[in-house]
Amino acid sequence: MMSINRTRLEEAITRENERFTAEHPRSKQLFERAKKSLLAGVPMNWMERLVGRYPVFVEEASGSYFTDVDGHRYIDFCLGDTGAMTGHAPPPAVEAIIERVRRGTTLMLPTEDSLWVGEELSRRFGLPYWQVALTATDANRFSIRLAREITKRPYILVFNWCYHGTVDETFITLENGVARCRPLNIGPPVDPVVTTKVVEFNDLPALEKALAPGDVACVLAEPALTNIGIVLPEPGYHEALREITRRTDTLLIIDETHTICTGPGGYTRAHGLQPDILTLGKPIASGVPAAVYGFSADAAARVREISNIEQADTGGIGGTLAGNALSMAAMRATLKSVLTKEAYDQTIPLAKRFTDGVQAVIKEKGLPWHIARLGCRAEYWFCPDPPRNGGEAAAAVDEKLDYYMHLAALNRGILMTPFHNMALIAPGTRDADIDQHTRVFRESVEAIL
Ligand SMILES: Cc1ncc(COP(=O)(O)O)c(C=O)c1O
């Protein structure tokens, strides 16, 4: 197998950094100015970690493309890390959004759109009752709270190297098989070891052991891990996960925020999963902040039993802007006309084309890498075989290589999802865009062998 030449990698990074600076003078100017009013010169802490010496400032975005303030046009395979999986500014959502903005956006009262959305979500995901939040993080946090309240159990369980948003309880990892607070966890309110159990994905004996004492309120799971590379469940894993959680009276929360890339009803509908609670955010309102969480009939009945109307506004589930008229109108339009089966019929074959292209280069160059795909999402990872779990996937992270592959792509007009080598395909992407990525991928690899 061919290995990366580290000296050539360092040289290539220097070259790419220089090219980036030479070609993005206006972004640099804005960044220098931003440093005077924004902490670290960015509106959001993780923007400081993007590739290049400073962030590319965006001018506008449409469909699968965006342009920056220096006039470069990019193919967008990041799509706001799934927030824009619908493509940017999809016309049916834009129209509904403009129309709603003119008629008032937030009232602390429901609009009729919320009924349409609830009915459609029930039809898509098979869960009868729904609630609305502003972000997927909140949908997860509220679901965990309810799971704790109805089961009266102290722990939750997550999978090693999961990501479910900034949910305090989930920042836990396994180090040599021992649970510990995830490194660089900022100001944890309590050590997550107190609140959370963690096991590897695809490890049924570990799951069985963790749930056996009957003290876990819920398992919070992506049906396939997507934030530490794509780690797919092994055959029979989900059936066993459901059987063990039912047997131990542990609620199963399936987080579909990224795996909605599988199809219109997410991984849940495509594979017949039966969660007690399902959470989903990001693309559901075409980029307008909104998220949802749905309950099985049984889970809903248990929630209703413990609901105390007196504490509805201060009981820990909130968000003054949640369920606002604008989010609901955007969600309705998105579910009705954007995140449709027809859209997936377009994007999934394109993701296959992307995967085949990268796979062919990996083979041709004899690289010890692999690529995995889930619906309209694909991701290459720097190890020869697909990892079975988060621990194996994390062991293959190569920060330098990662930085280089992203920057080389960016300098050639392609934005990949930051922090991992993920591509998501939006409707309207063309075969030529995918083939452009394959060419750039080959060229980038050839420079470092
Ligand atoms: C699976 C999953 N769930 C939830 C979230 C949280 O989403 P948000 O940051 O929009 O709240 C993320 C964010 O990346 C995610 O990947």
Side-chain angles (χ1 to χ4, degrees):
M1 278 203 173
M2 184 62 109
S3 62
I4 300 304
N5 179 326
R6 292 278 151 181
T7 313
R8 293 197 75 198
L9 176 61
E10 292 291 346
E11 289 164 0
I13 289 175
T14 307
R15 265 196 322 273
E16 295 299 334
N17 272 330
E18 282 165 4
R19 176 170 173 179
F20 178 85
T21 311
E23 291 180 358
H24 297 89
R26 177 84 184 119
S27 274
K28 182 168 193 321
Q29 232 176 31
L30 291 180
F31 181 60
E32 293 305 326
R33 196 176 122 206
K35 281 198 271 190
K36 296 185 186 128
S37 64
L38 302 173
L39 198 62
V42 286
M44 181 67 212
N45 66 347
W46 43 251
M47 289 185 190
E48 202 187 347
R49 204 188 143 200
L50 300 175
V51 296
R53 287 173 167 154
Y54 41 85
V56 159
F57 283 71
V58 172
E59 187 70 47
E60 62 182 38
S62 173
S64 335
Y65 311 97
F66 72 96
T67 48
D68 70 11
V69 290
D70 285 290
H72 305 291
R73 184 171 188 262
Y74 300 85
I75 306 164
D76 192 355
F77 291 131
C78 164
L79 298 169
D81 193 9
T82 311
M85 196 184 110
T86 50
H88 298 285
V94 170
E95 269 167 44
I97 289 164
I98 293 173
E99 155 80 359
R100 187 66 247 183
V101 169
R102 288 210 176 97
R103 296 194 297 132
T105 54
T106 192
L107 299 113
M108 265 191 122
L109 291 169
T111 53
E112 203 175 328
D113 286 334
S114 53
L115 279 71
W116 193 97
V117 167
E119 286 158 9
E120 171 61 13
L121 291 170
S122 300
R123 190 190 68 76
R124 275 194 191 216
F125 295 101
L127 293 158
Y129 297 104
W130 292 85
Q131 289 282 275
V132 178
L134 275 178
T135 64
T137 300
D138 270 356
N140 284 328
R141 288 177 41 232
F142 300 158
S143 299
I144 290 171
R145 273 180 173 270
L146 290 168
R148 276 220 175 83
E149 192 65 25
I150 62 185
T151 59
K152 306 285 182 227
R153 292 177 173 186
Y155 288 103
I156 70 160
L157 183 142
V158 296
F159 295 106
N160 197 21
W161 292 106
C162 67
Y163 186 71
H164 297 282
T166 52
V167 181
D168 287 313
E169 288 109 313
T170 60
F171 292 114
I172 190 164
T173 189
L174 283 172
E175 205 178 86
N176 301 320
V178 180
R180 54 158 288 190
C181 186
R182 214 154 133 170
L184 307 181
N185 185 2
I186 305 165
V190 291
D191 188 333
V193 171
V194 176
T195 59
T196 310
K197 298 187 185 188
V198 54
V199 298
E200 289 287 10
F201 196 62
N202 280 325
D203 184 346
L204 287 171
L207 179 74
E208 182 86 61
K209 192 165 163 217
L211 298 189
D215 53 5
V216 174
C218 62
V219 171
L220 173 61
E222 275 197 284
L225 302 186
T226 64
N227 284 294
I228 189 74
I230 295 175
V231 179
L232 297 171
E234 288 174 348
Y237 184 70
H238 272 292
E239 289 79 352
L241 170 63
R242 187 61 279 199
E243 190 280 315
I244 299 169
T245 46
R246 281 218 171 103
R247 175 157 42 80
T248 56
D249 198 20
T250 311
L251 294 170
L252 178 60
I253 306 175
I254 293 288
D255 179 350
E256 286 278 7
T257 301
H258 275 187
T259 47
I260 190 67
C261 61
T262 314
Y267 194 98
T268 291
R269 218 52 208 257
H271 295 269
L273 306 190
Q274 295 180 354
D276 299 297
I277 303 177
L278 183 150
T279 62
L280 169 62
K282 295 203 187 184
I284 192 170
S286 294
V288 170
V292 293
Y293 50 119
F295 305 87
S296 67
D298 185 54
R302 291 173 75 184
V303 168
R304 292 301 296 154
E305 256 168 50
I306 53 96
S307 291
N308 179 347
I309 196 74
E310 257 100 73
Q311 279 171 359
D313 56 338
T314 54
I317 294 179
T320 315
L321 296 175
N324 69 75
L326 178 61
S327 297
M328 301 314 301
M331 247 194 283
R332 179 176 182 164
T334 305
L335 291 168
K336 182 161 183 250
S337 312
V338 185
L339 270 183
T340 56
K341 180 179 175 304
E342 293 68 39
Y344 287 91
D345 288 346
Q346 248 189 63
T347 56
I348 291 176
L350 288 162
K352 282 189 187 139
R353 190 180 182 100
F354 184 101
T355 309
D356 291 346
V358 170
Q359 182 60 53
V361 177
I362 290 175
K363 190 159 174 237
E364 177 191 316
K365 305 292 176 196
L367 290 166
W369 301 356
H370 81 279
I371 180 156
R373 183 182 64 81
L374 181 63
C376 61
R377 181 188 303 279
E379 172 143 23
Y380 58 87
W381 209 248
F382 305 129
C383 54
D385 302 310
R388 282 190 63 225
N389 55 49
E392 284 181 20
V397 169
D398 185 327
E399 301 275 358
K400 272 252 154 80
L401 200 46
D402 206 72
Y403 179 93
Y404 166 70
M405 293 303 288
H406 277 80
L407 185 56
L410 191 72
N411 279 339
R412 289 156 186 78
I414 293 173
L415 183 71
M416 296 287 285
T417 308
F419 323 136
H420 42 137
N421 300 293
M422 190 164 78
L424 189 64
I425 316 291
T429 308
R430 297 163 314 151
D431 285 354
D433 300 326
I434 304 290
D435 297 345
Q436 168 72 1
H437 174 267
T438 307
R439 268 194 300 280
V440 165
F441 180 77
R442 177 181 282 108
E443 204 182 298
S444 308
V445 162
E446 280 169 350
I448 54 168
L449 293 181

